[in-house]
Amino acid sequence: MPARRRRGRLVGTLATALVLALAIAGVAVLRPGPVDEWLGGGGPATSGPQVDPTEPPPPPVLTAAGASAPEPTPEGVRAALGPLLTSSVLGNEVNISVVDAVTGKVLYQNGQDTPTIPASTTKLVTAAAVLAARGPAYRISTRVVAGANPGEVVIIGAGDPTLAVNATGWYPGAGRLDRLAAQVKKALGGTAPTKVIIDGSLYSGPVLEPAWDSDIPTGGYGAVITALMTDGARQDPRDQGRGQARHAKPDEAAGRAFAKLLGLPVSAVVTGTAPAATGTAPAATDSPTPGEPSPGTPGPGSELGRVQSPPLIRLVEFMLRESDNVVAEALARQVALAREKPASFVGAAEAVDEMVGELGLPVAESALADGSGLSRANRVTPSLLTDLLTMAAKGDRPELADLFPGLPVAAWSGTLSDRFDRSGEKPTRPGAGVVRAKTGTLSGVHAISGVVTTADGRLLAFAVLANKVPVGQDVAQPELDRIATTLARCGCR
C-alpha cells in the first residue's frame, strides 16, 4: 500500500478511536484542535498529517458503547496493574490513581492522596484553571498607545506568548507585530515614529521561578517570563525542532523587532510605562509651536493599534500538545489577572490553587509554585488529576472539556508522537490512538496522566506520578506507557 494511503487510514482510525472515546463520556469534540481537524470541522488549521479525502471511511476500532460499556471492577484493575507496579523500575515512590470517567468510581489507588512532584502534568491543573477563569473564547490583546511626546509609541505587554513578528511565527493564528506596526503608522498620520517604549509592567516579581533547575533558561524548553515576547521567546521561529534557543530578554527582543518594522534603529528602544490616556490633541487655529502635537494627533495614552492572540482554547492546546512551558506560565498569569492578583509566579500559583477549590476539587491537594511544572516545589496528588479529568469528561463544567483536544495522542501527536508504538513490534502497541495524556519529565521525576479507553469501550481517567526514579528517561517512559497500555488492553472485570 502506498505510504500516503497507509497514513490516511491510520489517521482515520485514530480519529475514530478518539471520537468514540470522548463520546463515551459525553465530551463534545467539535472544537478547534486535532480532533476537529481530522473530522473536517471548522476549527483553525493546525500542523500535522491530514486525512486523504480519497480514502473510504475506516471501520470503527471501538464500539460507541457509551455509559453502557462494561464497567471495570477494582479487582480486575488491581489484577492487571499489580504485577507491573510490584516489579516497577520506577522506584518506591510511584503514586497512582485510576477512576471510571463515567461514574467517578475509584478503580485503583496507591498513594493517590500523596503530594507528589507532578512535573508537566501540572499543566492539566493550569488548563482547567484558566478555562474556568477566562473561558475558551478569551483573547489576549497586545496594544500600542501614544507616548508622552509626539512620535513616541508605547507597546504594552499583555502576556501573549504567541505574538509573532510576521507571517513566519511559531504559533498558528498568532497576532503579528507587522500588522500592529501598520496600524500605528496609520493612526499617527503625518507624525513620524521617533521612539518605541516597552511597557512590561503587567508582570511583577522574578522572571525565573526560584525552584527551577539552573539549565531551564538555556536548555531550550523554558525562558525568562516577561509580559511582552514573540514566539514564546524563541530566537528563530522557523526552527521547528524541540529545544530552541530563547532570548535572554524577550521583551527587549520584541521591542527591537517592532522598532525595525516602524523604521527605527535599535537605539530608539527604551523601557518605561504607558501614560494615562488624554485623548487627541485639540484642533488649533494657528501653527503649532515646535515640539507640540499637530492638530488631531493622538494624545498621550491614546490607542494606536492592537492585535489579539488566538482564542484561549488554542493557547491551551499549544500548551498541552507540546508541553509548552512558556505558554503555561502565561496562562497561569491570566488566572491571576482574572482574580485580580499580581501577575507573578506567586500570584499565578495562588490563583490557580484557588480555582481548584472553586471547581469543587480538593484544594489541599494542589500546592503550586508555577504553571508549567518546571518547579520542583510543586506538589499535586494523583487523585486530584483524575478528579479533574473526570469532571471534564462528565460535563459538570462544560468549559473544562476544552482541555481534551490539546492532549497528546499515543503514537501520534505532541509529546506522545514518538511513544507507544503503532507498528506492532512493542507491547505498548494497543495503547496507540486510545491513550490521550499529558506527560511530565524532570530528572528523577516521571509522570503521565490522561484518559484511556479499555478494550470494552469504557473511558478511564488515570494518573501515575513517580518521584525519585532511579532509571533514565529511556527506561522510565516505556514503563509508564506499559501501565497505560495495560488499561487499554484489559476489560478489567
Side-chain angles (χ1 to χ4, degrees):
M1 181 185 293
R4 189 167 73 110
R5 294 177 65 81
R6 286 199 304 270
R7 186 177 70 176
R9 286 185 178 170
L10 175 61
V11 177
T13 300
L14 289 174
T16 303
L18 291 167
V19 171
L20 292 173
L22 295 179
I24 289 168
V27 175
V29 295
L30 295 179
R31 307 280 188 181
V35 174
D36 187 40
E37 181 183 340
W38 290 337
L39 293 176
T46 57
S47 59
Q50 303 291 316
V51 178
D52 183 349
T54 65
E55 286 287 335
V61 296
L62 292 174
T63 301
S68 64
E71 186 175 350
T73 65
E75 295 77 15
V77 175
R78 189 180 307 114
L81 294 184
L84 282 177
L85 297 174
T86 301
S87 60
S88 177
V89 299
L90 297 173
N92 298 321
E93 293 190 23
V94 183
N95 300 319
I96 182 170
S97 174
V98 181
V99 174
D100 186 320
V102 178
T103 64
K105 180 179 178 180
V106 174
L107 298 175
Y108 187 92
Q109 293 183 335
N110 181 57
Q112 73 282 355
D113 295 327
T114 302
T116 312
I117 302 174
S120 280
T121 59
T122 300
K123 294 182 177 71
L124 291 172
V125 184
T126 300
V130 75
L131 286 168
R134 285 295 202 197
Y138 184 83
R139 296 173 185 261
I140 304 171
S141 296
T142 300
R143 302 168 53 241
V144 173
V145 301
N149 300 304
E152 294 180 350
V153 298
V154 185
I155 182 167
I156 304 173
D160 177 9
T162 69
L163 187 66
V165 176
N166 50 39
T168 63
W170 175 266
Y171 301 96
R176 291 164 43 177
L177 289 182
D178 58 350
R179 292 173 175 170
L180 187 57
Q183 294 177 37
V184 169
K185 290 177 182 178
K186 182 177 180 179
L188 287 176
T191 301
T194 59
K195 181 183 294 186
V196 170
I197 300 169
I198 302 166
D199 184 347
S201 60
L202 182 68
Y203 284 5
S204 59
V207 295
L208 298 172
E209 206 284 315
W212 281 4
D213 291 350
S214 60
D215 63 345
I216 294 300
T218 58
Y221 291 94
V224 299
I225 306 301
T226 54
L228 178 67
M229 62 171 61
T230 56
D231 301 302
R234 292 171 179 84
Q235 294 183 15
D236 183 4
R238 295 168 296 181
D239 178 4
Q240 294 297 305
R242 293 181 178 178
Q244 302 89 353
R246 312 282 174 141
H247 291 292
K249 296 181 178 181
D251 50 352
E252 293 184 9
R256 291 194 297 269
F258 188 59
K260 183 177 180 181
L261 291 166
L262 292 175
L264 296 174
V266 171
S267 58
V269 180
V270 298
T271 59
T273 56
T278 59
T280 58
T285 55
D286 301 318
S287 298
T289 302
E292 292 184 353
S294 301
T297 299
S302 299
E303 184 171 302
L304 304 177
R306 72 167 59 201
V307 292
Q308 292 186 313
S309 72
L312 192 141
I313 182 177
R314 292 285 281 144
L315 302 190
V316 168
E317 184 181 333
F318 297 152
M319 172 183 69
L320 295 176
R321 187 179 60 209
E322 299 295 342
S323 201
D324 194 312
N325 296 305
V326 177
V327 172
E329 297 304 338
L331 292 181
R333 280 165 171 73
Q334 287 300 314
V335 182
L337 292 169
R339 299 186 62 81
E340 299 183 348
K341 289 181 175 293
S344 62
F345 281 107
V346 172
E350 289 179 352
V352 171
D353 284 339
E354 286 182 5
M355 283 304 305
V356 167
E358 289 199 7
L359 287 169
L361 298 169
V363 67
E365 296 185 16
S366 177
L368 299 183
D370 68 12
S372 63
L374 289 173
S375 177
R376 293 180 182 271
N378 288 326
R379 292 296 184 274
V380 167
T381 68
S383 61
L384 174 68
L385 297 178
T386 52
D387 286 350
L388 186 158
L389 290 163
T390 300
M391 175 181 287
K394 292 174 69 175
D396 296 339
R397 292 291 297 255
E399 70 274 23
L400 299 191
D402 292 318
L403 66 81
F404 285 109
L407 285 179
V409 180
W412 186 249
S413 66
T415 54
L416 288 183
S417 61
D418 56 358
R419 290 176 58 170
F420 295 78
D421 178 67
R422 56 177 177 245
S423 68
E425 298 175 358
K426 296 180 181 179
T428 54
R429 171 67 181 88
V434 294
V435 173
R436 194 176 184 95
K438 182 70 200 75
T439 58
T441 304
L442 295 170
S443 58
V445 176
H446 295 276
I448 187 169
S449 181
V451 292
V452 56
T453 308
T454 70
D456 287 337
R458 195 78 174 188
L459 191 69
L460 308 181
F462 70 97
V464 185
L465 308 182
N467 287 182
K468 297 183 180 179
V469 179
V471 297
Q473 176 176 312
D474 57 335
V475 176
Q477 289 183 348
E479 188 74 2
L480 292 174
D481 298 348
R482 279 191 285 272
I483 294 172
T485 297
T486 297
L487 294 173
R489 293 180 65 179
C490 82
C492 298
R493 287 184 280 162

